[in-house]
Amino acid sequence: HYLYPANFPEELIGLIRENPAVCRYIDIPVQHISDKMLRLMKRSHTRSETLNILNRLRTGIPGSALRTTLIAGHPGESEAEFNELKEFVREFRFERLGVFAYSHEEGTPSYSNFRDEIPEDVKQQRVAEIMQIQQEISAGLNENLEGRTLKVLIDRMEGDYFIGRTEFDSPEVDQEVLIPAEFNLKPGDF
């Protein structure tokens, strides 16, 4: 499901672009964009390498949706690094994005190497700020879909609606499409 920025398999861009059976949905968990934070997180890619991959995906697979996950509040993340992360989200405009507050978990390199120095309320505020930015981006992108017909996979029925998703939406984490129950559909239909 994930395409990690480090050692990115370049041949996938053409395979996804040329094969209509492959969804145009690419989940690439960048986690942060600051070089300092990527080093602290022990990631083997830089800001420049990340942007290079993301831009190649966006131009190489027209009509695709890029999703990422970020971590806010990792030890060592100053206001400057957090602002850099927010600006990256604003500028790149991911179609889908999730963000998690850093969790100091035993057995991870960060647990062994850092104190969990950022207060939980600051972490949660940072998560909320990034999600607010993303909600505004998502609202604008969704407005651009008005009047278009999309292929939707029906997952289930709830109340008066069938619940489905496009090829750009991973189950349980991304957006859903509501279709009035008046249509003759069942789970698994397109």
Side-chain angles (χ1 to χ4, degrees):
H1 197 127
Y2 296 120
L3 291 173
Y4 292 97
N7 303 313
F8 183 82
E10 290 290 326
E11 65 275 8
L12 280 182
I13 293 174
L15 290 172
I16 294 170
R17 181 184 58 242
E18 303 302 326
N19 189 337
V22 177
C23 290
R24 305 294 192 268
Y25 174 94
I26 298 101
D27 192 338
I28 184 163
V30 300
Q31 299 187 330
H32 215 287
I33 198 61
S34 158
D35 281 331
K36 172 190 165 189
M37 295 311 303
L38 291 168
R39 272 192 313 277
L40 291 176
M41 293 174 163
K42 302 271 190 240
R43 302 301 178 245
S44 58
H45 56 277
T46 65
R47 174 189 177 96
S48 176
E49 291 165 337
T50 300
L51 291 173
N52 187 5
I53 291 165
L54 292 172
N55 288 323
R56 285 196 322 265
L57 285 167
R58 189 152 278 162
T59 59
I61 310 169
S64 63
L66 296 181
R67 181 182 212 294
T68 198
T69 48
L70 305 172
I71 298 174
H74 186 281
E77 184 186 64
S78 69
E79 282 297 319
E81 284 85 34
F82 178 62
N83 287 334
E84 183 179 353
L85 184 61
K86 289 191 304 185
E87 192 57 32
F88 165 65
V89 171
R90 279 188 196 99
E91 288 178 7
F92 194 77
R93 301 180 55 81
F94 284 94
E95 286 77 14
R96 307 289 185 264
L97 182 142
V99 60
F100 300 95
Y102 170 78
S103 176
H104 205 58
E105 296 179 18
E106 276 190 70
T108 64
S110 292
Y111 184 87
S112 303
N113 296 320
F114 304 106
R115 283 188 11 257
D116 190 10
E117 61 192 25
I118 298 176
E120 190 61 33
D121 63 324
V122 172
K123 292 178 196 176
Q124 294 304 324
Q125 179 59 38
R126 289 178 180 182
V127 167
E129 285 182 48
I130 291 174
M131 287 312 298
Q132 179 61 44
I133 295 166
Q134 183 60 33
Q135 286 173 354
E136 292 167 12
I137 292 167
S138 292
L141 293 172
N142 286 344
E143 286 175 11
N144 291 337
L145 296 175
E146 288 181 15
R148 290 186 50 204
T149 300
L150 300 172
K151 189 174 188 179
V152 175
L153 173 63
I154 304 301
D155 285 329
R156 65 188 184 284
M157 183 167 180
E158 281 185 20
D160 295 334
Y161 293 94
F162 288 101
I163 310 296
R165 56 192 157 88
T166 71
E167 71 176 296
F168 310 116
D169 299 298
S170 189
E172 300 178 14
V173 297
D174 289 325
Q175 302 177 125
E176 296 176 322
V177 178
L178 304 179
I179 302 168
E182 63 199 48
F183 293 93
N184 185 21
L185 300 170
K186 63 184 181 304
D189 285 350
F190 284 95

